[in-house]
Amino acid sequence: MSDALSKLPLFATDRELAVAIVGKERAAMWIKTVIPQLERSGFPRIDPLHDGRPVPLVKKFYDGYFGITAGFNVAAPDGEERLGLWKRDRRRQPKSKWGDPPE
């Protein structure tokens, strides 16, 4: 998909984008039904000065749509490991029914 989009001008029409993204056969359907849905999700709007959608922003939209720019979440340590600490709770003296330890 990136190759087809990279061949487009800086600002492309919906037809040019549709052909690059879904091909000629599905382009009309994509323009009519998919673009309005995508615009609600942040798909770049038509720039009135250039009469087209900015292709770099369309690429960026799809990178985010597919999760490419999200990267991978690497698990970070959540603190010092204290192995055996959980056992200490079991050795605790039972509380009385009023919440105070028996004396």
Side-chain angles (χ1 to χ4, degrees), residues 16-91:
E16 291 170 324
L17 288 169
V19 170
I21 293 170
V22 297
K24 287 182 183 180
E25 296 167 357
R26 297 183 352 198
M29 174 279 304
W30 192 81
I31 292 168
K32 187 175 180 179
T33 61
V34 177
I35 286 181
Q37 292 175 5
L38 292 177
E39 281 182 337
R40 290 190 285 270
S41 300
F43 192 73
R45 303 241 181 223
I46 294 175
D47 182 278
L49 182 62
H50 298 96
D51 197 30
R53 296 181 195 271
V55 175
L57 294 181
V58 171
K59 288 180 186 179
K60 189 173 181 178
F61 172 83
Y62 272 108
D63 286 347
Y65 182 82
F66 292 127
I68 295 170
T69 56
F72 295 99
N73 291 332
V74 177
D78 58 352
E80 180 184 347
E81 296 295 330
R82 296 183 197 172
L83 300 175
L85 182 64
W86 59 276
K87 290 182 180 178
R88 202 176 324 160
D89 291 337
R90 291 183 186 212
R91 287 184 258 147

